[in-house]
């Protein structure tokens, strides 16, 4: 779910999103302080959680909007801000669900609050509850705030309603993806390949690529063909992006990705890479390792060998190429202005060919 | 947080809220089924979670609106629906935070999903993760849906924005109350009486009474004095309502309240009743019992004796009477039409004098 590469060159509009987020959190922290110091701390931590990323979802919104001739920059910045707030909210709740206390190598909100409570002598169980409660509440507040950005847009009513519908669909589909992901990692559901493709599209591609592109286009009064082409591009490049993430999660250099190359394994994440390896390997060795309570470094090395020797890694590399081609084909249309097409082709290459 | 008494007589408008909720869930369940059976199950369970309550928050919105002469019934029903969705979302996340698997004596969403996973042979830890993830996601979806009701209102822009601000404040204040509540029960913070009064107002009174009354009044174009009077009524009666809940939680008949009379104790809930008892009792006996990992039936009996003998129960009974008086005084004004005043006085009496 985490972008670890800048998909775009620096943009003035993305800087405006950063400023808008800063203003938003300034105001909330000020108000929160009137309801107690720990509530102000919660808002400060929510702000911190929103600051780590590369802001590529906002960039997709504002760059698409500008390339399609939109001239209400304030509205574009507000919609872009909504996607960044939503992204932060999803990360906060994803960490609670996965029981993760770190993100990008640093303690996350859950981990920070739990550790602070422990340091003050609170029992381990209570400290965990405190961390989880804080992260759940912070995510709730940002889910609400994201929609607030769109609900307060000063644009024509039909456009505001279309954007509200888009955001609602986005939350709806992402929740379905998260639920499917958890059903796989908890063994509530044993997935086949097509289930994992769907999960990937729902959980990541939709809110990270499809919806931001559609939002920029809808706000710019783009034609239906343009919105459809961008959505199709987003769907395919989003899947390719996540598949690259899965490969980096298993084979990437930790000092580049900022993520332990055994964490996906330890969490039992059912990636398309793993699912295809399980279907291809002719022994139960891989399933046996994954079912262990603890994964050692040598287990992880053996898993990487199997991912390679089974042909799963090559299969996924091939899929990344295919989905990138589908994405680029979707915008090879007169409905997509060439300046936007060039930008998106660059996004596609960066999303697929990256080491971090 | 749970109303267990009907504060209002039956109302056509509340029936319309029930219908609107049913239509909302019908549509979402239909769409969810296209994203997999378990997602449809999640929406069915979210619907079930929304069906148990007495709908007194929606009733406050629509009855206030009608009594103040409002005639856009569809808008009032939409705003009322927003409060019911928000309430359900808060309950779902509250249960995750408290680790509760039941509500009103029945398995809640978390408990149902966990139990189903266990029954299918999933490990206890994975089943718990599955239940928690499901409840977190269901709450997220309903938080978003609540705001969606207000964001799509077809009313003058300034009114829509005022209602969006009201809902935002409502979510903001309730989260502060929930955070304070958890800080007390986890011993992250040791509260004094005034902290517990604030927590009670933030966590319960604001979204259950103040905000629904204000929303009905704002939608009806009521004067600032009317909105202020209703807000003041809501604040005070909301506190009285929760204090009655706290007493019922300790002394109520389980067959009437539908709630175990030891569950507040087991969860370490810091109610105003308990806080005042801790301050009044001259030995460490009460604190000792509360710090135990397990509370037996005889421990609970002893706690009830101390709540009584320390004078804490009488103190809270006195506070309930006081807050009810403050509430009724707040609406004793020409700014509140007498028909509304009579209804609210009845609400006040029912909120304070109830056994369930």
């Amino acid at each position: 779910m985490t972008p670890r590469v800048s998909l775009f060159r620096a943009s003035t509009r993305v800087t405006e999103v950063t400023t808008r987020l800063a203003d938003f959190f300034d105001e909330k922290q000020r108000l929160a302080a009137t309801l107690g110091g720990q509530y102000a701390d919660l808002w400060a931590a929510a702000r911190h959680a929103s600051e780590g990323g590369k802001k590529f979802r906002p960039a997709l919104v504002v760059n698409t909007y500008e390339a399609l001739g939109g001239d209400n920059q304030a509205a574009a910045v507000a919609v872009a801000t909504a996607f960044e707030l939503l992204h932060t909210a999803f990360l906060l709740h994803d960490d609670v669900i996965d029981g993760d206390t770190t993100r990008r190598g640093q303690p996350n909100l859950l981990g920070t609050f739990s550790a602070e409570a422990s340091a003050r002598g609170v029992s381990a169980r209570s400290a965990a509850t405190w961390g989880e409660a804080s992260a759940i509440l912070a995510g709730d507040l940002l889910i609400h705030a994201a929609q607030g950005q769109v609900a307060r847009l000063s644009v024509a009513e039909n456009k505001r309603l279309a954007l509200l519908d888009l955001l609602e669909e986005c939350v709806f589909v992402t929740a379905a993806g998260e639920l499917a992901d958890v059903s796989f990692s908890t063994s509530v559901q044993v997935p086949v390949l097509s289930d994992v493709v769907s999960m990937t599209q729902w959980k990541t591609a939709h809110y990270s690529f499809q919806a931001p592109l559609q939002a920029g286009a809808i706000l710019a009064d783009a034609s239906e063909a343009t919105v459809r082409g961008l959505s199709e591009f987003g769907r395919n490049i989003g899947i390719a992006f996540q598949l690259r993430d899965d490969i980096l999660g298993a084979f990437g250099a930790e000092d580049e990705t900022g993520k332990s190359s055994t964490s996906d394994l330890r969490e039992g994440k059912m990636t398309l890479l793993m699912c295809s390896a399980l279907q291809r390997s002719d022994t139960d060795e891989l399933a046996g390792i994954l079912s262990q309570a603890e994964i050692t470094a040598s287990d992880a090395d053996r898993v990487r060998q199997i991912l390679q020797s089974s042909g799963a890694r090559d299969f996924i590399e091939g899929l990344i190429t295919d989905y990138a081609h589908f994405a680029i084909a979707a915008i090879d249309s007169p409905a997509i202005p060439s300046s936007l097409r060039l930008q998106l082709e660059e996004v596609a290459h960066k999303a697929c060919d990256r080491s971090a």
Side-chain angles (χ1 to χ4, degrees), chain A:
Chain A
M1 271 174 100
T2 311
R4 289 188 297 270
V5 63
S6 181
L7 298 179
F8 291 98
R9 282 159 291 189
S11 148
T12 315
R13 299 300 162 217
V14 176
T15 309
E16 287 174 25
V17 172
T18 307
T19 305
R20 190 177 172 93
L21 281 167
D23 292 345
F24 167 80
F25 282 110
D26 280 347
E27 169 75 358
K28 293 299 182 189
Q29 285 178 259
R30 187 184 65 72
L31 287 170
T34 67
L35 302 183
Q38 64 199 2
Y39 196 42
D41 291 346
L42 184 77
W43 274 99
R47 174 187 211 135
H48 184 69
S50 83
E51 287 174 340
K54 292 289 194 291
K55 310 267 181 294
F56 83 87
R57 295 165 191 82
L60 284 173
V61 176
V62 294
N63 292 354
T64 301
Y65 181 71
E66 284 201 347
L68 292 170
D71 59 4
N72 183 346
Q73 297 300 349
V77 168
V79 173
T81 302
F83 279 99
E84 193 62 19
L85 288 167
L86 194 62
H87 171 58
T88 306
F90 287 153
L91 295 186
L92 286 165
H93 283 186
D94 194 52
D95 284 349
V96 175
I97 289 168
D98 292 343
D100 284 336
T101 55
T102 63
R103 183 166 285 274
R104 300 190 196 102
Q106 300 291 321
N108 59 12
L109 193 152
L110 193 166
T112 304
F113 275 60
S114 295
E116 283 174 4
S118 290
R120 288 157 66 183
V122 168
S123 73
R125 190 176 159 182
S126 286
T129 297
W130 174 243
E132 285 165 17
S134 300
I136 289 172
L137 292 170
D140 290 351
L141 289 160
L142 298 191
I143 286 173
H144 185 88
Q147 196 175 11
Q149 298 288 325
V150 177
R152 289 182 179 82
L153 282 179
S154 188
V155 297
E157 186 180 24
N158 64 343
K159 200 180 283 187
R160 185 170 50 78
L161 293 177
L163 289 164
L164 284 168
D165 288 348
L166 182 79
L167 196 71
E168 181 150 320
E169 185 187 24
C170 187
V171 171
F172 186 85
V173 169
T174 309
E178 179 78 9
L179 192 74
D181 193 19
V182 179
S183 79
F184 303 155
S185 61
T186 56
S187 306
V188 165
Q189 193 187 343
V190 178
V192 295
L193 272 182
S194 62
D195 294 329
V196 185
V197 176
S198 295
M199 179 275 284
T200 302
Q201 190 221 324
W202 300 340
K203 182 177 171 181
T204 304
H206 196 98
Y207 94 90
S208 297
F209 292 90
Q210 272 183 277
L213 289 162
Q214 288 177 289
I218 289 170
L219 196 60
D221 282 320
S223 70
E224 214 177 286
T226 303
V227 177
R228 201 168 47 237
L230 291 172
S231 172
E232 190 64 18
F233 171 84
R235 178 186 186 282
N236 287 292
I237 208 60
I239 295 172
F241 176 90
Q242 183 58 49
L243 296 181
R244 172 60 62 216
D245 225 48
D246 295 344
I247 287 194
L248 290 171
F251 294 99
E254 293 186 13
D255 57 346
E256 291 187 61
T257 63
K259 178 178 168 182
S260 157
S261 61
T262 56
S263 67
D264 279 1
L265 289 179
R266 271 188 283 100
E267 286 171 15
K269 283 285 169 205
M270 184 47 64
T271 63
L272 206 57
L273 176 66
M274 197 59 73
C275 186
S276 66
L278 284 166
Q279 296 190 343
R280 281 154 191 271
S281 55
D282 46 6
T283 71
D284 293 334
E285 186 186 359
L286 179 57
I289 297 174
L290 296 178
S291 68
Q292 292 170 195
E294 291 298 322
I295 308 280
T296 66
S298 85
D299 290 334
D301 283 339
R302 179 63 191 135
V303 168
R304 277 186 279 270
Q305 282 173 5
I306 297 172
L307 292 174
Q308 189 79 49
S309 63
S310 66
R313 183 180 183 173
D314 288 343
F315 171 67
I316 300 299
E317 288 289 356
L319 282 185
I320 292 173
T321 305
D322 291 345
Y323 279 108
H325 285 155
F326 299 150
I328 288 169
I331 52 172
D332 183 14
S333 143
I336 313 292
S338 60
S339 68
L340 180 56
R341 196 183 314 149
L342 287 174
Q343 281 191 68
L344 293 178
E345 285 175 2
E346 197 179 333
V347 168
H349 290 306
K350 288 190 180 173
C352 298
D353 302 326
R354 59 196 169 98
S355 59

